[in-house]
Amino acid sequence: MTQTSVPMVEADQVSKSFGSNHVLKSISLTVNRGEVMCLVGPSGSGKSTFLRCINHLEQVDAGRLRVDGTLIGYREKGDKLHELKPQEAALQRRDIGMVFQRFNLFPHMTALDNIIEAPMRVKRMPKAKAVARAKELLARVGLADKASAYPAHLSGGQQQRVAIARALAMDPKLMLFDEPTSALDPELVGEVLDVMKELAVEGMTMIVVTHEMGFAREVADSLVFMDGGVVVEAGDPRSVLTDPQHERTRAFLSKVL
C-alpha cells in the first residue's frame, strides 16, 4: 500500500467511557488525505471526545486509532497495547493541530508570541525563522496588523484566527476543530469559517465538530451524524442534509436547519 493510499485517520471500533457513562461505542470511521469531515449531533453525543481521542488527549478504552498509518497513543506488541510515555505521545501530537472552542491562547503573550512558542520550544526552530513564519500565518488569517496585540485586545473571532495560525505553525498533517465558532458572536463566525474554507481549498485534512450546517454543506466531503456515542448516519453532506435516512437524523436536522 502506498503512503498516499493510507487513510489520514482510521478509527477501528473505538470505545471510551467515563465511569458508567459510555461516551463512544465502537466508532469506526475513515478520513482520507485531503478530506474534510464534519461531525454533527446533539451535545453529549461523543463528538468532542472522539476528537480528543485522535490526538490522545483522552485514552481510548478499546479499539485502535491511526493517523497516517501510525497507531496513536499506544505501541502494539503481539495482541497487547502498551500506552506510550507522555513525551512519546506528545511527539505524535506535533503532527496534529487542534483548535478548541475556547481559544486557549496564552493571555500574557502577544499574538505573535503565542504562535512562535511551540515551534521554538518543541521543534527547536530558530527564533528568526519562527517569527517570519508566524508573520506569514498572521497575514494568511487576515491579522497581519495584530502581531503585537494581546488576546484581551482581540475580538473572539480574531483570537480564534490566531489559534488557527498557532496550530498551523507546527505544519500539521491533520487539523482538528472542536466547535471553533460556537463561542463567537454570530457576526464573527464568518471570518473564522472563511479561514477554514481556505485551508480546505489548499488540501488540508480536517475533522470539524460543528453546528454550522451551511459550512458542512459547502465545504465538507463527508458528514457524520453522531448520537449517543454511535455513528447514526454518514455520507455526502448534501445527501444527508436534504434526505436523511434515519428518523433520529431527521429529528435533529429539523431543529438546526
Side-chain angles (χ1 to χ4, degrees), residues 61-245:
D61 296 329
R64 284 161 174 69
L65 265 165
R66 286 182 170 82
V67 172
D68 203 14
T70 300
L71 186 66
I72 293 295
Y74 297 90
R75 186 178 291 107
E76 210 161 5
K77 280 188 184 168
D79 297 340
K80 289 214 165 66
L81 291 182
H82 302 269
E83 189 170 7
L84 297 180
K85 295 189 175 85
Q87 59 267 39
E88 293 175 300
L91 259 172
Q92 290 187 330
R93 218 174 274 131
R94 291 183 356 169
D95 293 327
I96 305 169
M98 185 149 185
V99 177
F100 299 88
Q101 183 176 349
R102 304 262 169 206
F103 330 116
N104 288 13
L105 297 177
F106 298 115
H108 62 289
M109 290 184 182
T110 64
L112 185 89
D113 288 338
N114 264 282
I115 296 168
I116 66 174
E117 174 77 1
M120 285 172 56
R121 187 177 290 241
V122 180
K123 288 193 163 180
R124 303 279 184 260
M125 189 183 282
K127 182 168 185 180
K129 187 177 177 187
V131 167
R133 175 88 173 114
K135 287 179 175 175
E136 265 175 42
L137 289 167
L138 282 169
R140 184 172 170 188
V141 299
L143 294 172
D145 59 335
K146 298 295 183 185
S148 58
Y150 287 89
H153 301 136
L154 297 171
S155 70
Q158 289 170 333
Q159 289 185 60
Q160 194 60 294
R161 284 186 282 156
V162 172
I164 294 172
R166 180 177 62 178
L168 291 174
M170 292 294 284
D171 290 318
K173 55 177 79 166
L174 168 68
M175 285 284 282
L176 307 175
F177 292 87
D178 189 7
E179 301 200 26
T181 58
S182 62
L184 300 178
D185 292 334
E187 68 269 22
L188 302 177
V189 167
E191 63 192 46
V192 173
L193 293 181
D194 284 345
V195 171
M196 293 168 66
K197 287 174 191 173
E198 281 289 313
L199 289 176
V201 168
E202 290 164 13
M204 175 63 77
T205 311
M206 310 196 306
I207 304 178
V208 184
V209 172
T210 186
H211 294 295
E212 299 291 337
M213 297 302 161
F215 174 84
R217 182 187 283 112
E218 183 185 344
V219 180
D221 300 292
S222 59
L223 182 73
V224 174
F225 171 65
M226 289 177 65
D227 189 30
V230 301
V231 172
V232 177
E233 189 161 350
D236 174 76
R238 286 145 292 278
S239 303
V240 175
L241 291 172
T242 55
D243 187 25
Q245 300 303 297

Side-chain angles (χ1 to χ4, degrees), residues 26-74:
S26 296
I27 298 282
S28 292
L29 287 174
T30 300
V31 184
N32 292 315
R33 215 166 284 271
E35 182 181 339
V36 178
M37 175 182 280
C38 281
L39 302 180
V40 303
S43 292
S45 57
K47 309 179 300 294
S48 294
T49 299
F50 178 65
L51 221 57
R52 292 171 67 83
C53 287
I54 293 173
N55 64 2
H56 203 58
L57 288 175
E58 298 288 356
Q59 303 165 343
V60 301
D61 296 329
R64 284 161 174 69
L65 265 165
R66 286 182 170 82
V67 172
D68 203 14
T70 300
L71 186 66
I72 293 295
Y74 297 90

